[in-house]
Amino acid sequence: MPGWKDAGAARNTVEGQRTMLTTAYRPGAPDWLDLTSPDTAASVAFYTTVFDWTYASAGPEAGGYGFFRQDGRTVAALGPFTDTHARPAWTVYFCTLDADRTTDLVREAGGLIRFAPFNVFTSGRMAGYTDPTGADFAVWQPHDVSGLDTVTEPGSLCWTECWSIDAGAAGTFYRTVFAWQEQEVPMGEFLYTVLTPPGGGTEDAHGGIVQLAPEQTAAGVSSHWLPYFEVPDVDARLATAERLGATVRTPAADVHGVGRLGGLVDPHGAAFAVITSAPPGT
C-alpha cells in the first residue's frame, strides 16, 4: 500500500479536471466539519495559532460548542466530549435533505447510529453514525444554516478522505446511503476511489476512499475520515503545529499536479492534513 500522499494525489486530477469543494452544497457533499476535544480551550489555542483562525462560542445554550472562523466566515466548529466513549477526532458532515431517511439507510446498510437526528435550534438537523468499517461521520440537514461559510480557500476545508480497513465495504456502504458516484483513478500501483455526489460532474468530486495497509492497522490506525485544509505554506504549518505539540504523521511531500501535502495528529490525537494546492494547469 503506498503512502497517504500518493492517495491524495487524486485530489485535483479526475480525468484531467481540477476538482474542488464548493458551498453550493449538493446532497451527499461535505457541508460541515467539527472537532471533538477533551480540552476545548487547548484546542482553540492550538488551531487558532496553526491556521490563524479566530474562535467564537455559540453561546451558553450550546453546551460548549463554538465556531472557528477565517476572516469572519465559519470554516469549522468545535465541541467538548458529550459521552465517555467519545474520542478526539474531526467529524465530516455530509449534506442531506432528510436526516431521518438517511438514518434509516445507514441502519439498513449495516452502520451504527451514534446519535439520532435532532434539531439544532433553527439552524438545521443533524445525526451521527459509524460506518461498518469503524469510521465515524455525520449528516447536516440545512435549515437556516446551509453549512460552512467557505471551503477550498486558504484556511478552509478542501478535500475529505475515508481511510478504511476495508475500502470495498466502505464504498458499498456509502453508495447505499448517499448514492455517491465513484471513479477509479490509477495512482501508481493502485486505484484511488474518487467520490462525487449524485448528479454531479467530475468537477464536483469531494473526496476519496483509501485502503489502510496492514502495517497501518498494526500500528493502531483505525478507519476514519480525514479532512484536508488548504494552507499557503505546508512546511510552515507543520513546523508550527509540531512546536505546539502535534505529531507529524507524514512529512511534507510534493505530488506532481496536486501540490505539497503533509499529515498531522493534533496534541489530543485528532488526525488532519494540510495541502498547498498546485496552481491550475501545473
Side-chain angles (χ1 to χ4, degrees), residues 103-197:
T103 299
D104 291 339
L105 290 171
V106 167
R107 187 180 292 110
E108 292 166 8
L112 298 177
I113 313 303
R114 290 189 295 117
F115 55 89
F118 68 94
N119 291 328
V120 182
F121 309 111
T122 62
S123 297
R125 189 164 174 80
M126 63 186 288
Y129 318 109
T130 303
D131 77 22
T133 78
D136 291 342
F137 68 104
V139 293
W140 178 253
Q141 178 183 338
H143 290 162
D144 293 346
V145 175
S146 62
L148 300 174
D149 290 334
T150 187
V151 294
T152 304
E153 297 180 10
S156 68
L157 179 70
C158 64
W159 191 248
T160 62
E161 279 177 349
C162 180
W163 287 28
S164 180
I165 61 172
D166 188 337
T172 298
F173 170 80
Y174 289 109
R175 276 196 307 274
T176 301
V177 173
F178 293 117
W180 283 342
Q181 301 169 164
E182 297 180 0
Q183 182 172 346
E184 300 296 335
V185 178
M187 297 303 303
E189 298 178 354
F190 79 111
L191 292 176
Y192 182 87
T193 302
V194 174
L195 307 170
T196 304

